[in-house]
Amino acid sequence: MEEGQVTPPVLLQGAVFSIYKDALCTDRVDTQTTDVNGELSFDGLELGKTYYYREVTPPVGYILDGTIHEITIGDGTEVENITETVVLENDEALGNIVIHKVDNSATPVPLEGVEFKLYRIEGSTETVVQIDDPDNPGNNIDWVVRTDGNGIAVFNNVAFGDYIIKEVGTKAGYKAAVDTAVTVSAVGDTDVTIINEKIVADIKITKRETGSGTVLLPGAEFGLYTTNGLQVGKGTTNADGVLYFYDIPYGDYVIRELKAPAGYNINVAETNVTVTMFENNIVNGEIAFSIENDKQNGKIQVKKVDKDGSVITTDAAQFTLYDENMLKVTGTDIINPVTNDTGTGYALFEHLPYGTYYVQETKAPDGYVRDPGVYKVVVDSDSAVCEYVTAEGKISSSTAGGG
């Protein structure tokens, strides 16, 4: 008895057959297994008697033939041994590997355009599976499938066995999946879900005073935008001068400062950032930027003159500065109150954040009566705002270049 496919002839080892005396296959006579030539023999059978045989175990990789075959050897009148030869076929055991490609979202999203190759595993040997090239018949090419709009790719009619699926073309914005092992052991579909992890990063902004590595600035507001202007994030630096935009997907972005910290000039320069898995400054999933602001350096100059317009230099006048709530202005770099220089007649308040202030004379020069008036001054640049105060308390304003 030979076991094999007719076209092409493949001789199959390991098929197990039993032969019986009855059609119900309850009275077994013998059991044999095909050898390397796909052959087995049942010996010593009675001539002229009808027997029944069937396959009880198929060769590896082939489908069991459940047919009960009937055979009668001779008619019982023979005077010498007779050999009857039959040829049986097994259909190759084939299944389909159906790949479902999704991302790692809470609700998985199917991924189109991801490519895979299939490798057969036999022992420790890994061999790429090839198919006939449809564009060049007679030549083999590596078997590659690509996911459709539903994230599905199929290797059809795959022989039973152990395989490795390798991702060879990954969708932009995702990390390539690790190799996936699969065993095809049943006719029909073997479903495999392969997940791609989205490439994301946390963007960290640290806000500092220009030229200082230690002065951190809370209250700076930033927006994160795609390159076509869509805002995808907005936030304000915390007490440590830090703002995070979390889990930002793969792509190109622009950071824009929307509001400067109190007392600082806004930084109008845009910061470009690209989120990829190869970004050089990604450390532990974080892209870090340090963005600086120039401290506002507003100035108010006060000049004391007498009723004739002459500068009072005989003695210094003292002036005190108040904020818009009439609270005395304080600060690490701010001197308040100040006295005017007896040589120039100017008193200077500097290192002031932009805003509205009030100036009041709190000590008059010797020989003069203190002016009780309170004078409003608006500082909106680093140029000095000059206030000229007469002995009668009249005031006029102008802007001097930086002075």
Side-chain angles (χ1 to χ4, degrees):
M1 182 181 295
E2 295 180 352
E3 183 73 1
Q5 291 182 320
V6 175
T7 306
V10 178
L11 303 178
L12 302 179
Q13 182 180 11
V16 180
F17 284 84
S18 291
I19 191 165
Y20 305 86
K21 292 181 179 180
D22 62 314
L24 296 178
C25 297
T26 60
D27 188 3
R28 186 176 63 185
V29 176
D30 194 8
T31 297
Q32 295 291 332
T33 302
T34 56
D35 59 21
V36 293
N37 297 314
E39 297 179 353
L40 64 80
S41 64
F42 294 114
D43 300 321
L45 299 179
E46 185 178 343
L47 295 174
K49 182 176 177 62
T50 299
Y51 292 90
Y52 303 87
Y53 63 92
R54 65 178 180 179
E55 186 176 52
V56 294
T57 302
V60 174
Y62 289 82
I63 297 173
L64 177 71
D65 178 7
T67 305
I68 298 175
H69 304 272
E70 179 181 319
I71 187 170
T72 302
I73 303 174
D75 58 12
T77 62
E78 291 78 8
V79 295
E80 60 183 19
N81 293 333
I82 296 176
T83 298
E84 185 83 22
T85 300
V86 295
V87 176
L88 300 176
E89 297 179 4
N90 280 91
D91 291 327
E92 188 175 8
L94 302 175
N96 307 317
I97 300 175
V98 181
I99 299 170
H100 301 265
K101 190 62 170 174
V102 296
D103 70 7
N104 61 332
S105 300
T107 301
V109 176
L111 300 180
E112 182 180 5
V114 183
E115 295 183 338
F116 299 93
K117 279 187 182 181
L118 189 64
Y119 291 77
R120 180 71 180 258
I121 303 300
E122 294 179 302
S124 59
T125 302
E126 183 179 290
T127 306
V128 65
V129 178
Q130 293 192 320
I131 58 173
D132 190 56
D133 185 352
D135 298 323
N136 191 10
N139 292 282
N140 289 336
I141 57 172
D142 293 351
W143 196 358
V144 177
V145 296
R146 181 184 179 92
T147 56
D148 60 18
N150 296 313
I152 294 175
V154 182
F155 291 106
N156 284 305
N157 298 323
V158 179
F160 281 18
D162 296 325
Y163 295 88
I164 292 290
I165 301 170
K166 295 189 177 186
E167 188 170 313
V168 294
T170 304
K171 189 177 180 69
Y174 295 85
K175 297 178 182 178
V178 298
D179 295 349
T180 302
V182 59
T183 297
V184 178
S185 58
V187 175
D189 294 342
T190 298
D191 292 294
V192 179
T193 298
I194 300 178
I195 299 173
N196 277 101
E197 182 181 349
K198 290 187 290 186
I199 297 173
V200 298
D202 298 334
I203 298 175
K204 178 185 179 182
I205 300 170
T206 302
K207 195 62 166 168
R208 290 183 168 88
E209 182 180 304
T210 301
S212 171
T214 58
V215 179
L216 303 176
L217 305 178
E221 185 177 283
F222 289 93
L224 183 67
Y225 299 83
T226 62
T227 53
N228 60 8
L230 177 66
Q231 188 180 83
V232 295
K234 184 178 179 180
T236 303
T237 55
N238 62 18
D240 297 319
V242 174
L243 167 65
Y244 276 99
F245 293 110
Y246 291 104
D247 295 330
I248 303 303
Y250 173 97
D252 296 317
Y253 299 89
V254 176
I255 299 170
R256 295 178 185 146
E257 185 169 324
L258 306 179
K259 178 182 176 184
Y264 290 81
N265 294 319
I266 193 165
N267 188 333
V268 297
E270 295 183 344
T271 302
N272 296 315
V273 54
T274 298
V275 177
T276 77
M277 66 183 302
F278 306 109
E279 183 69 29
N280 290 333
N281 60 344
I282 290 184
V283 179
N284 297 325
E286 178 180 289
I287 307 175
F289 294 93
S290 180
I291 300 177
E292 296 183 338
N293 285 84
D294 295 334
K295 190 173 184 179
Q296 293 172 355
N297 186 22
K299 306 175 187 70
I300 299 174
Q301 291 179 328
V302 183
K303 188 174 185 179
K304 187 70 174 179
V305 297
D306 62 20
K307 62 182 178 179
D308 298 321
S310 299
V311 177
I312 299 173
T313 59
T314 56
D315 190 32
Q318 183 186 79
F319 298 92
T320 300
L321 188 65
Y322 301 91
D323 65 17
E324 61 184 349
N325 299 311
M326 286 305 295
L327 298 175
K328 183 179 177 181
V329 174
T330 60
T332 55
D333 297 329
I334 298 174
I335 299 173
N336 189 24
V338 297
T339 55
N340 62 319
D341 184 277
T342 55
T344 65
Y346 279 106
L348 179 64
F349 295 100
E350 54 186 339
H351 309 301
L352 301 177
Y354 300 166
T356 299
Y357 296 91
Y358 295 91
V359 179
Q360 185 177 38
E361 184 178 10
T362 49
K363 179 182 178 297
D366 287 345
Y368 293 88
V369 177
R370 184 181 70 85
D371 179 1
V374 177
Y375 302 99
K376 180 180 179 180
V377 185
V378 176
V379 178
D380 57 7
S381 74
D382 286 358
S383 298
V385 177
C386 300
E387 300 296 343
Y388 299 89
V389 183
T390 68
E392 288 85 7
K394 294 181 180 180
I395 189 167
S396 61
S397 300
S398 67
T399 300

